């Protein structure tokens, strides 16, 4: 069997390594949608990559979920569902525009005990740290999470993160909580956005943009000097 890899093969392997767990249907959407028989083409490629020992897979989910070859999570771990939730957020963003500088499980402080957002990206020109909450937590625990973001904001270490713009002032990312419930959390320094999905986020800012064009106040556009451009 030939070990020569196409650029698409390499991109798929890199994507699985980046997102930790990727289901077959997501691969179809992201890499094979333009083909005549996208599902069959995807299945053929993934079987080949698996047999070459370049990816792992678990068939405990339907459709099959693919993992990095050196995955440190068990094939029946609940962590897989968490990574799939992060992937779903990314895919929703891609339906509007491809996010840039994507980091899964970002650790911007570089040390244990700091903030560890599930996803960082620059989306429609604005930086975001995204927390994907599959389970419901106490408001005290969620506020403690927000407090860590405030501590990082006050440290000023974020100003030197590699993705910061060189031609203008540094920007502290807005924090998006993807959650089916709303928490009574607050911050004097950072913008917190609570939505159930990226689609809800986009709808919210589309309506805010319409209010601005109609001459009505736009209360959700900026906070503490932070501006968000999603329109």
């Amino acid at each position: 069997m030939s070990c020569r890899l196409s650029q698409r093969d390499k991109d798929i392997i890199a994507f699985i390594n980046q997102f930790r767990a990727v289901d077959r249907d997501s691969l179809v959407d992201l890499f094979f949608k333009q083909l005549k028989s996208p599902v069959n083409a995807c299945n053929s490629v993934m079987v080949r990559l698996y047999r070459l020992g370049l990816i792992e897979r678990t068939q405990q989910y339907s459709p099959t979920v693919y993992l990095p070859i050196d995955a440190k999570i068990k094939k029946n771990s609940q962590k897989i569902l968490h990574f799939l939730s992060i992937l779903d957020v990314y895919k929703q963003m891609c339906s509007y525009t491809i996010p840039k500088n994507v980091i899964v499980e970002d650790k911007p402080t570089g040390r244990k005990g700091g903030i560890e957002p599930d996803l960082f990206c620059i989306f429609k020109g604005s930086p975001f740290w995204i927390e994907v909450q599959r389970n419901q937590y106490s408001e005290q625990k969620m506020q403690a999470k927000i407090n860590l973001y405030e501590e990082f904001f006050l440290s000023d270490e974020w100003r030197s993160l590699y993705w910061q713009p060189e031609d203008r002032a540094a920007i502290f990312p807005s924090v998006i909580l993807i959650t089916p419930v709303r928490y009574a959390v607050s911050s004097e320094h950072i913008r917190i956005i609570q939505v159930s999905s990226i689609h809800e986020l986009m709808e919210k800012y589309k309506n805010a943009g319409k209010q601005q064009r109609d001459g009505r106040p736009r209360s959700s556009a900026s906070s503490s000097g932070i501006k968000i451009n999603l329109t």
Side-chain angles (χ1 to χ4, degrees), residues 53-106:
L54 299 174
I55 56 172
E56 262 295 349
R57 71 183 183 189
T58 173
Q59 294 178 309
Q60 299 198 29
Y61 302 90
S62 181
T64 300
V65 171
Y66 296 92
L67 311 168
I69 193 64
D70 59 348
K72 296 179 181 179
I73 52 177
K74 296 180 180 179
K75 293 184 178 181
N76 61 351
S77 171
Q78 288 296 305
K79 188 76 170 172
I80 288 176
L81 295 177
H82 179 64
F83 285 127
L84 292 177
S85 296
I86 296 172
L87 174 61
D88 185 61
V89 169
Y90 172 81
K91 287 170 57 184
Q92 287 183 45
M93 287 182 166
C94 288
S95 69
Y96 299 97
T97 187
I98 305 297
K100 301 177 180 179
N101 298 86
V102 176
I103 305 174
V104 178
E105 291 196 328
D106 192 16

Side-chain angles (χ1 to χ4, degrees), residues 15-72:
F15 190 81
I16 292 171
N17 288 338
Q18 180 182 27
F19 280 87
R20 317 290 205 277
V22 182
D23 63 285
R24 192 277 314 274
D25 286 355
S26 292
L27 291 170
V28 170
D29 289 343
L30 295 168
F31 294 97
F32 299 90
K33 183 183 277 187
Q34 75 282 6
L35 301 181
K36 185 175 181 180
S37 301
V39 174
N40 290 339
C42 181
N43 287 340
S44 176
V45 168
M46 300 315 293
V47 166
R48 177 170 55 82
L49 295 179
Y50 174 71
R51 289 176 176 171
L52 285 171
L54 299 174
I55 56 172
E56 262 295 349
R57 71 183 183 189
T58 173
Q59 294 178 309
Q60 299 198 29
Y61 302 90
S62 181
T64 300
V65 171
Y66 296 92
L67 311 168
I69 193 64
D70 59 348
K72 296 179 181 179

Side-chain angles (χ1 to χ4, degrees), residues 111-140:
R111 56 181 178 270
K112 190 173 182 179
I115 63 172
E116 295 185 3
D118 296 312
L119 189 68
F120 168 80
C121 67
I122 295 176
F123 179 56
K124 283 186 165 288
S126 297
F128 294 98
W129 276 315
I130 302 174
E131 298 274 357
V132 183
Q133 305 297 320
R134 292 181 56 245
N135 301 312
Q136 186 170 349
Y137 297 98
S138 68
E139 291 189 345
Q140 292 85 351

